Amino acid sequence: MNVLDIIKPENQVFCKSKLMTDTTLSYCPGCGHGTAHNLAMEVIDEMGISEDTIGVAPVGCSVLAYDFMNIDITQAAHGRAPAVATAIARTWPEKYVFTYQGDGDLAAIGTAETIHACNRGENIVIIFVNNGIYGMTGGQMAPTTLEGMRSSTSPYGREIESMGSPLKMTELVANLPGVHYVTRQAVHTHKHARKAKKAIKKAFENTRLKKGLSFVEIVSNCNSGWKMTPLESNIWMEENMFPYFPLGDIKVNGILK
Amino acid sequence: MSELKLMKGNEALAEAAIRAGVDAYFGYPITPQSEVIEYLMTERPEERTGMVVLQAESEVAAINMVYGAASTGKKVMTSSSSPGISLKLEGISYLAGAELPSVIVNVVRGGPGLGTIQPSQADYFQSVKGGGHGDYKLYVLAPSSVQEMADFVEDAFDIAFKYRAPVLILSDGLIGQMMEKVNLKEQQVRLTDEEVIKLNGDWATTGKTKNRERNIITSLDLQSEKMEARVRRLMKKYEQMEQEDMRYEEFQTEDAEYLFVAYGSSARIAQKAVQLARAKGIKAGLLRPITLFPYPKKVLFDLADQVKGILSVELNAGQMVEDVRLSVEHKVPVEHFGRTGGIIHTPEEVLEALEQKFIK
Amino acid sequence: MAKVKGAIVVDTEACKGCEVCIPVCPEDVIGMTSTVNRKGYHYAYMNNPEACTGCTNCAIVCPDRAISVYRVKVSA
């Protein structure tokens, strides 16, 4: 069987989602943002809800999400996406509203907006990409930077005494009654990516059923910020990020696991 | 059929918002304007018109909620007071940059800092000289009565949607707290989602349907040429506002030899001072800017040919006086008088200042 | 005899040479070219095309969705 016979259109079993534009992603080679974008768009496409979906982009590496996602998107001031999404969801109760945020956006400047949107149980999805660093601005320490982890603002490694411990925002919001579903996933291998996709789908299903807020954290890599190759960063992530930020469902159907 | 009521300024504004078919109000408590959200929460407008009312976790969250709903083409507003407005300025700059129709109300209190809760006009600069970052201006309406607190809600939204821009209603604690008669307009029908999409679907993020490209609301342009084009587009709006939507009022200026310039509550006081002056044979008149941007520069420039002196009467340490001087271009001396820190000057004090600075 | 035959098509200009697809391929099909694309990235290719089963693992983890996957049933 010659390859040309195999790659006939009728034999295609996977290709880029039509909800992803043709614009080249601005993300560094191997960055999990790209995969997370694609999984989210694949879910929205498969659920057939793109015409009623409104995204809210953060400030950070994924500020340009609206160049890559072929849906209506409002770009929010740094940290304010949950508030922006709240207002959209409140004035358009039938729409699917989601925020897509990084760790600086959601767990530093946007902490109050995150906690209060969760506490109000807004009927939205929050996709939280946690790569333990400020990528867009060039690798500064983030709320989720691990102890001892170097960054341009913790050049000798994060010291708990002076800089506090990495913030487990996902566990924090899981305790809020308004939050219906909380999970922590990853996207760097096919197993993780498939599970993450299921989780994102469950989140949007919760929106459809008006169950309240769904919070999907995706632990991801930042090869340029961590100063590693993509493959090294994924290994480092498994060995260092996952122990502190364990994967899996944390709250399902409003009940803590 | 309009309805005559006796109401506090803050409450008249809230009722007017419901009647103007506003879709959503996002607020946060701060004296002297908490009555706005208290009134709205009591009225339960979601039952009257389907209007959403939400108390946010901070003024920062509230202005970003305005940004969210405005990005979908809905009629949305917020209100706060001085320190709260400072917190909202980043959001306001985003609203201007992303060209989002919205209404912000500032019921000004004494500042800077935590300041005081009594009335003031010390946020003039913050309001008309941008306040937030970047090349933008706010269309600013300055009510001087409970009636205008009510009327200006609809006027503000008309301007906001005409120009796709944030509009500021610059009130103060006195007008917010005092009670006066107010004629409330009939209830306007709040637009349905379909009507909002029909009206604003070419730019608003209401969900990308097959018949159009996706809509993006952003104020980000990393390419400077695009950012400059965006700024030029904003500036063109402001020029058009100056040509078409500048508002002011004159009181006994026809034969005036001295002119007070005052807005909002200070204009009410200055109007009394005109009467006191005239009783003493001093021909005084009052120019009341109703829009602080666009400012009645030309009107002032012309009046300067007729008067011997102009007194800018403001409840602050002297801010609008600079714009009066700019407008008058040295044709005639311009002075400032104003109590500040929350103290409200009396008509007698205003007259005394006029005499002291120009006549004695 | 393999019941299924697969193949991938790589958008060589979209690929950024991150190699994340390599470890997830159960059959070690993918390698990186020595040549580079317009952006100067080495890009993925089927180094061992015969072994591909079209399982889509590589495509799912590709951040830039540079990989399309094809699969065809092969009669015994």
Side-chain angles (χ1 to χ4, degrees), chain B residues 219-236:
Chain B
S219 53
L220 176 71
D221 274 314
L222 287 172
Q223 285 175 300
S224 308
E225 291 74 14
K226 283 195 180 145
M227 189 62 204
E228 184 177 53
R230 180 186 293 263
V231 169
R232 293 283 175 251
R233 196 164 63 236
L234 299 183
M235 292 305 136
K236 239 155 108 264

mmCIF file of all heavy atoms in Angstrom, chain B residues 219-236:
data_model
loop_
_atom_site.group_PDB
_atom_site.id
_atom_site.type_symbol
_atom_site.label_atom_id
_atom_site.label_comp_id
_atom_site.label_asym_id
_atom_site.label_seq_id
_atom_site.Cartn_x
_atom_site.Cartn_y
_atom_site.Cartn_z
ATOM 1 N N SER B 219 -8.590 46.105 22.442
ATOM 2 C CA SER B 219 -8.007 47.449 22.327
ATOM 3 C C SER B 219 -6.516 47.305 22.019
ATOM 4 O O SER B 219 -5.764 48.271 22.055
ATOM 5 C CB SER B 219 -8.169 48.185 23.670
ATOM 6 O OG SER B 219 -7.649 47.378 24.722
ATOM 7 N N LEU B 220 -6.125 46.059 21.718
ATOM 8 C CA LEU B 220 -4.703 45.762 21.491
ATOM 9 C C LEU B 220 -4.362 45.894 20.013
ATOM 10 O O LEU B 220 -5.037 45.322 19.159
ATOM 11 C CB LEU B 220 -4.424 44.313 21.950
ATOM 12 C CG LEU B 220 -3.022 43.763 21.704
ATOM 13 C CD1 LEU B 220 -2.020 44.447 22.640
ATOM 14 C CD2 LEU B 220 -2.983 42.261 21.943
ATOM 15 N N ASP B 221 -3.332 46.631 19.696
ATOM 16 C CA ASP B 221 -2.797 46.660 18.333
ATOM 17 C C ASP B 221 -1.289 46.703 18.461
ATOM 18 O O ASP B 221 -0.714 47.766 18.706
ATOM 19 C CB ASP B 221 -3.287 47.914 17.565
ATOM 20 C CG ASP B 221 -4.634 47.671 16.913
ATOM 21 O OD1 ASP B 221 -4.777 46.604 16.296
ATOM 22 O OD2 ASP B 221 -5.522 48.517 17.061
ATOM 23 N N LEU B 222 -0.665 45.557 18.313
ATOM 24 C CA LEU B 222 0.790 45.512 18.502
ATOM 25 C C LEU B 222 1.524 46.207 17.372
ATOM 26 O O LEU B 222 2.668 46.640 17.528
ATOM 27 C CB LEU B 222 1.243 44.054 18.622
ATOM 28 C CG LEU B 222 0.851 43.393 19.963
ATOM 29 C CD1 LEU B 222 1.138 41.916 19.945
ATOM 30 C CD2 LEU B 222 1.571 44.073 21.115
ATOM 31 N N GLN B 223 0.888 46.326 16.200
ATOM 32 C CA GLN B 223 1.523 47.079 15.108
ATOM 33 C C GLN B 223 1.178 48.553 15.277
ATOM 34 O O GLN B 223 0.000 48.935 15.271
ATOM 35 C CB GLN B 223 0.993 46.580 13.764
ATOM 36 C CG GLN B 223 1.559 45.241 13.328
ATOM 37 C CD GLN B 223 0.875 44.773 12.038
ATOM 38 O OE1 GLN B 223 -0.343 44.589 12.006
ATOM 39 N NE2 GLN B 223 1.640 44.649 10.992
ATOM 40 N N SER B 224 2.209 49.388 15.420
ATOM 41 C CA SER B 224 1.981 50.807 15.720
ATOM 42 C C SER B 224 1.112 51.482 14.678
ATOM 43 O O SER B 224 0.292 52.342 15.005
ATOM 44 C CB SER B 224 3.330 51.535 15.788
ATOM 45 O OG SER B 224 4.177 50.839 16.673
ATOM 46 N N GLU B 225 1.288 51.104 13.390
ATOM 47 C CA GLU B 225 0.472 51.772 12.351
ATOM 48 C C GLU B 225 -1.012 51.536 12.654
ATOM 49 O O GLU B 225 -1.841 52.438 12.536
ATOM 50 C CB GLU B 225 0.809 51.217 10.959
ATOM 51 C CG GLU B 225 2.194 51.590 10.449
ATOM 52 C CD GLU B 225 3.296 50.819 11.157
ATOM 53 O OE1 GLU B 225 2.988 49.809 11.842
ATOM 54 O OE2 GLU B 225 4.477 51.261 11.074
ATOM 55 N N LYS B 226 -1.336 50.304 13.088
ATOM 56 C CA LYS B 226 -2.752 50.010 13.368
ATOM 57 C C LYS B 226 -3.192 50.773 14.616
ATOM 58 O O LYS B 226 -4.311 51.282 14.687
ATOM 59 C CB LYS B 226 -2.930 48.505 13.591
ATOM 60 C CG LYS B 226 -2.921 47.681 12.312
ATOM 61 C CD LYS B 226 -3.469 46.271 12.572
ATOM 62 C CE LYS B 226 -3.471 45.441 11.306
ATOM 63 N NZ LYS B 226 -3.167 44.005 11.620
ATOM 64 N N MET B 227 -2.283 50.842 15.604
ATOM 65 C CA MET B 227 -2.658 51.554 16.836
ATOM 66 C C MET B 227 -2.887 53.028 16.517
ATOM 67 O O MET B 227 -3.849 53.635 16.997
ATOM 68 C CB MET B 227 -1.544 51.399 17.892
ATOM 69 C CG MET B 227 -1.956 51.914 19.257
ATOM 70 S SD MET B 227 -3.364 50.974 19.919
ATOM 71 C CE MET B 227 -4.074 52.168 21.048
ATOM 72 N N GLU B 228 -2.021 53.601 15.680
ATOM 73 C CA GLU B 228 -2.200 55.022 15.341
ATOM 74 C C GLU B 228 -3.522 55.224 14.607
ATOM 75 O O GLU B 228 -4.286 56.159 14.900
ATOM 76 C CB GLU B 228 -1.044 55.534 14.482
ATOM 77 C CG GLU B 228 -1.164 57.038 14.188
ATOM 78 C CD GLU B 228 0.016 57.573 13.405
ATOM 79 O OE1 GLU B 228 0.332 56.991 12.344
ATOM 80 O OE2 GLU B 228 0.639 58.561 13.856
ATOM 81 N N ALA B 229 -3.834 54.294 13.716
ATOM 82 C CA ALA B 229 -5.106 54.425 12.985
ATOM 83 C C ALA B 229 -6.275 54.365 13.961
ATOM 84 O O ALA B 229 -7.258 55.113 13.854
ATOM 85 C CB ALA B 229 -5.222 53.295 11.967
ATOM 86 N N ARG B 230 -6.132 53.502 14.975
ATOM 87 C CA ARG B 230 -7.202 53.407 15.972
ATOM 88 C C ARG B 230 -7.340 54.734 16.720
ATOM 89 O O ARG B 230 -8.438 55.247 16.913
ATOM 90 C CB ARG B 230 -6.868 52.268 16.953
ATOM 91 C CG ARG B 230 -7.881 52.051 18.052
ATOM 92 C CD ARG B 230 -7.397 51.011 19.047
ATOM 93 N NE ARG B 230 -7.310 49.680 18.463
ATOM 94 C CZ ARG B 230 -8.269 48.749 18.584
ATOM 95 N NH1 ARG B 230 -9.379 49.023 19.238
ATOM 96 N NH2 ARG B 230 -8.120 47.556 18.043
ATOM 97 N N VAL B 231 -6.207 55.311 17.093
ATOM 98 C CA VAL B 231 -6.256 56.590 17.831
ATOM 99 C C VAL B 231 -6.864 57.676 16.945
ATOM 100 O O VAL B 231 -7.715 58.457 17.390
ATOM 101 C CB VAL B 231 -4.835 56.991 18.299
ATOM 102 C CG1 VAL B 231 -4.833 58.421 18.816
ATOM 103 C CG2 VAL B 231 -4.350 56.031 19.381
ATOM 104 N N ARG B 232 -6.475 57.691 15.681
ATOM 105 C CA ARG B 232 -7.056 58.704 14.758
ATOM 106 C C ARG B 232 -8.571 58.537 14.701
ATOM 107 O O ARG B 232 -9.332 59.521 14.703
ATOM 108 C CB ARG B 232 -6.473 58.511 13.351
ATOM 109 C CG ARG B 232 -4.976 58.820 13.249
ATOM 110 C CD ARG B 232 -4.685 60.325 13.207
ATOM 111 N NE ARG B 232 -3.244 60.581 13.219
ATOM 112 C CZ ARG B 232 -2.584 61.097 14.264
ATOM 113 N NH1 ARG B 232 -3.233 61.397 15.386
ATOM 114 N NH2 ARG B 232 -1.293 61.336 14.201
ATOM 115 N N ARG B 233 -9.012 57.289 14.690
ATOM 116 C CA ARG B 233 -10.457 57.026 14.623
ATOM 117 C C ARG B 233 -11.140 57.600 15.873
ATOM 118 O O ARG B 233 -12.186 58.236 15.806
ATOM 119 C CB ARG B 233 -10.677 55.515 14.540
ATOM 120 C CG ARG B 233 -12.070 55.119 14.076
ATOM 121 C CD ARG B 233 -12.132 53.660 13.640
ATOM 122 N NE ARG B 233 -11.835 52.729 14.723
ATOM 123 C CZ ARG B 233 -10.869 51.805 14.660
ATOM 124 N NH1 ARG B 233 -10.098 51.734 13.587
ATOM 125 N NH2 ARG B 233 -10.658 50.967 15.662
ATOM 126 N N LEU B 234 -10.496 57.429 17.029
ATOM 127 C CA LEU B 234 -11.058 57.973 18.270
ATOM 128 C C LEU B 234 -11.097 59.496 18.199
ATOM 129 O O LEU B 234 -12.100 60.124 18.531
ATOM 130 C CB LEU B 234 -10.232 57.531 19.475
ATOM 131 C CG LEU B 234 -10.120 56.031 19.744
ATOM 132 C CD1 LEU B 234 -9.318 55.775 21.013
ATOM 133 C CD2 LEU B 234 -11.494 55.374 19.852
ATOM 134 N N MET B 235 -10.004 60.092 17.710
ATOM 135 C CA MET B 235 -9.940 61.553 17.684
ATOM 136 C C MET B 235 -11.029 62.133 16.778
ATOM 137 O O MET B 235 -11.628 63.169 17.062
ATOM 138 C CB MET B 235 -8.551 62.016 17.196
ATOM 139 C CG MET B 235 -7.428 61.695 18.170
ATOM 140 S SD MET B 235 -7.733 62.342 19.834
ATOM 141 C CE MET B 235 -7.257 60.948 20.849
ATOM 142 N N LYS B 236 -11.309 61.410 15.693
ATOM 143 C CA LYS B 236 -12.347 61.903 14.775
ATOM 144 C C LYS B 236 -13.701 61.948 15.500
ATOM 145 O O LYS B 236 -14.500 62.857 15.332
ATOM 146 C CB LYS B 236 -12.415 60.989 13.542
ATOM 147 C CG LYS B 236 -12.156 61.782 12.263
ATOM 148 C CD LYS B 236 -11.627 60.959 11.107
ATOM 149 C CE LYS B 236 -12.783 60.828 10.084
ATOM 150 N NZ LYS B 236 -13.487 59.578 10.290
#
